[in-house]
Structures are given as C-alpha cells and as structure tokens.
Amino acid sequence: MSRTPRPKRTERAPAETLHFDEAAHVRALAGPGHANLIALETELGVHVEAPGGGQLLLSGGDKRARTDASRVVHALYARAESGLVIDPETVRAACRMDDTPVSAGDETIIRVPRGVSFAARTNGQADYVRALKDEDRYDMIFGVGPAGTGKTLLAVAWGAAKLARGEIDRLVITRPAVEAGERLGFLPGDLNEKIDPYLLPIWDSLRDALTQKVVDKMREERRIEVAPLAFMRGRTLNRAFIVCDEAQNTTRAQMRMMLTRLGQGSRMAVTGDPSQVDLGPREPSGLADALDILSGVPRIAVTRFTRADVVRHDLVGMIVDAYERADAKHGG
C-alpha cells in the first residue's frame, strides 16, 4: 500500500522552531519512525523535523497551516506530559479540532486503577467525558453519533474506573440482540452461545480498560455483568453504572423499560448511532423517541458526536461522510 509522500521542504520556506523542556516527550510525540509527524504533515501540508534536543522545526505550507501545526504539536506535547499514548489516529483527531485544543487535564481523562488511561481526543469526546464524570449534575448521559467516535469505549472505561475504585458495586452493560441481516435462530448452540457474538464488542472494550485477567476475576465475582437487553426487564439496578449500548436498536417499549431500571446510587450511559437502525421499517427507534421525549428533563446530558469525532482508521471518517452525502441525496 502506497503512503502519502511527506511535504517537501524548500530552501526559502518560512520556518519556525518550537522548543520543549523534555526531549523524551518530543520523542513520544513524534512516534516510532516519526509516524505521528508524518500524519501531521499529511493532514496540514507542512514539513516537520525533529532535530533532537527537545526541538521541532516547522516549515512549508502557508502561515495558517504552520499556526495550526504549532497548536496541534503543543496539544500533543501536553498529552505526552500526562503519560498518554499518542498515535497517528490521535494526531489526525487533533488536526480536526477547532482553535481550542482538547485539554489534557484530568477533567477529560479517564484513569482506570491498575488499568489504562483514556483521554478525550476530540472536542465531542471531551464534552462526553466531562458529562460522564459530572456526578453532581448528571445521572444519565446520552452519547449519540456515528461509528468510531468512542461512545461505548469511554462509557465502559468510566464504569470500569468506578468499579476498580470501589465506588459502585456493579458494572452492568447491555445491548439489544438485533440481527443485522443474519438470523439469530439459525446460529448454532444454546441461547448463551447464540447471544455471545452480539456482546463481543462490549468484552473488547472491557479488556481494553481492565485487562483480561481483571475482567475474568470481576466476572466471576458477578461485579461485571454483560447481558442482552431482554434480561433487564423487571430489575432495579442499585449502586451500579449501567451502559445501554446500540440503543438505536431498541424499540420504544424497550427503551422505556431500560431507562426505568435506574436504582439508588446508580447512573446510566446510553449510546447509539441513529444512522444504523436494524429494526424493521415499521418499528420506530426507541433512541430517537427518548431523545425527543426527554428533551429538557433535568439531570440528563446529551452529547452529539459528528464525523469530526471519528477516531478510528482515518478511512472511517471518509466512509461516514460518503454515506451522509448519499443519505442527503436520497432523502434518507
């Protein structure tokens, strides 16, 4: 696969030298083989050199591009100071930010004890993390938007952090088992074996946050519960953090049932992508219905993610754009 060539530095190109206190942080910012600097160059059309000694040299491009590059570099350096991982996806997300870079302060970072840290990479993610952490204002947080924006991962990470600190008794994660073109009944095995494939993304997020060993231990202790939405009926969930994932595939009745499971000392995150509804054409999505009905209700936060918040492979953002244009063209 060919790689986009780095912008060439010309002899007379204006240059700016950025000085930093810690050369080790600059090396972390640059990444293995300077992969992060290459991503920065490709996104903004500037040339970036790392001559060593805690310096970065910006050249090429126009003045606006160099200003943007300087802003992004300083934001990434702050992430390196906080001990956060920087990869090309992080760089591309930072390049899409507005003139106010995402803070690397604790209000936008989820630190999981004995696990890993998750930091907001985009403005939308920063708003979402702040809402998740603001327990005085919000008991229910909706994260709504396209694939790849970190809605589920950040919610699961926050629940995992709360569980690891002993601030809740249980982390409960649920999602509707709705077929996306396949038929559940034709899958082999008993009920649990049929359902497990629908829950794999949740287990992946938990492993990212807590490691496999800790997840297995907490699952045995029944402190972590991952189950289909149908298993939530009739329950009251006390001292728990609850994540309702793929909420766009709930019916109105299911969503109403799920939202009323909230018990004493519990909070809930509801995540979903309204553009990926797998319900039948005559079955309205419970997520859209809930967002309409609950508008203005206190103690509920809604974060709406956009294509600018996509932090997966950079192709995902382009795919989201292409589908949105097609939807607009066909009135979808």
Side-chain angles (χ1 to χ4, degrees):
M1 182 175 67
S2 61
R3 187 165 64 185
T4 304
R6 300 175 68 166
K8 294 181 179 179
R9 181 185 174 192
T10 61
E11 289 299 324
R12 295 184 179 181
E16 177 183 357
T17 302
L18 306 180
H19 299 272
F20 298 96
D21 293 335
E22 294 291 339
H25 295 335
V26 174
R27 289 193 294 271
L29 189 162
H34 288 187
N36 296 335
L37 299 186
I38 293 171
L40 177 63
E41 292 176 337
T42 302
E43 288 289 320
L44 298 180
V46 297
H47 188 86
V48 188
E49 293 182 68
Q55 295 182 343
L56 287 175
L57 186 65
L58 305 180
S59 63
D62 56 23
K63 183 177 180 180
R64 175 61 186 271
R66 292 192 300 277
T67 299
D68 286 343
S70 178
R71 170 183 60 81
V72 170
V73 165
H74 280 90
L76 295 174
Y77 183 84
R79 294 175 71 89
E81 285 185 309
S82 297
L84 302 172
V85 174
I86 301 172
D87 55 23
E89 286 71 30
T90 304
V91 175
R92 283 189 281 268
C95 290
R96 292 194 292 268
M97 291 303 93
D98 58 25
D99 290 338
T100 305
V102 174
S103 168
D106 278 347
E107 74 275 8
T108 60
I109 299 174
I110 297 173
R111 301 185 190 278
V112 183
R114 300 184 301 279
V116 297
S117 295
F118 297 83
R121 297 181 177 185
T122 70
N123 290 330
Q125 286 192 350
D127 290 341
Y128 187 53
V129 171
R130 290 189 188 102
L132 287 168
K133 300 178 79 168
D134 194 345
E135 301 183 356
D136 293 332
R137 294 180 62 192
Y138 305 119
D139 291 324
M140 187 173 292
I141 303 94
F142 284 82
V144 182
T149 50
K151 305 180 298 294
T152 302
L153 177 60
L154 291 172
V156 170
W158 178 243
K162 296 277 290 179
L163 188 63
R165 290 196 295 265
E167 296 173 359
I168 55 174
D169 294 336
R170 284 182 295 170
L171 172 57
V172 179
I173 309 172
T174 185
R175 55 166 27 191
V178 175
E179 299 104 337
E182 298 87 3
R183 291 299 177 189
L184 187 63
F186 287 102
L187 293 175
D190 59 21
L191 179 60
N192 287 331
E193 290 171 324
K194 291 175 187 290
I195 289 171
D196 275 351
Y198 291 88
L199 306 177
L200 284 176
I202 299 298
W203 291 118
D204 289 343
S205 296
L206 283 167
R207 282 191 290 270
D208 287 343
L210 290 168
T211 74
Q212 183 68 62
K213 182 179 180 180
V214 176
V215 169
D216 290 342
K217 184 176 185 295
M218 289 187 171
R219 188 179 186 184
E220 289 176 5
E221 296 170 348
R222 301 186 65 81
R223 297 174 65 198
I224 291 178
E225 179 181 346
V226 179
L229 188 67
F231 289 18
M232 297 295 111
R233 188 171 296 279
R235 303 179 63 186
T236 300
L237 302 172
N238 296 316
R239 280 190 52 81
F241 188 78
I242 307 150
V243 180
C244 179
D245 188 36
E246 295 288 311
Q248 77 276 3
N249 286 328
T250 61
T251 64
R252 288 174 173 175
Q254 287 175 327
M255 178 58 77
R256 182 174 183 176
M257 177 273 293
M258 189 62 226
L259 297 181
T260 55
R261 300 308 93 195
L262 205 62
Q264 292 296 319
S266 292
R267 299 175 75 232
M268 182 183 296
V270 181
T271 66
D273 179 1
S275 70
Q276 295 191 21
V277 178
D278 297 316
L279 299 171
R282 296 185 179 181
E283 186 70 70
S285 168
L287 176 60
D289 188 57
L291 291 171
D292 182 49
I293 291 173
L294 300 178
S295 177
V297 174
R299 305 196 66 79
I300 295 178
V302 179
T303 299
R304 297 185 184 273
F305 295 92
T306 68
R307 176 261 187 269
D309 297 303
V310 173
V311 292
R312 286 183 186 166
H313 192 291
D314 56 335
L315 181 59
V316 174
M318 291 183 275
I319 291 171
V320 170
D321 276 347
Y323 272 93
E324 287 181 349
R325 289 194 298 270
D327 288 343
K329 180 178 179 181
H330 297 293

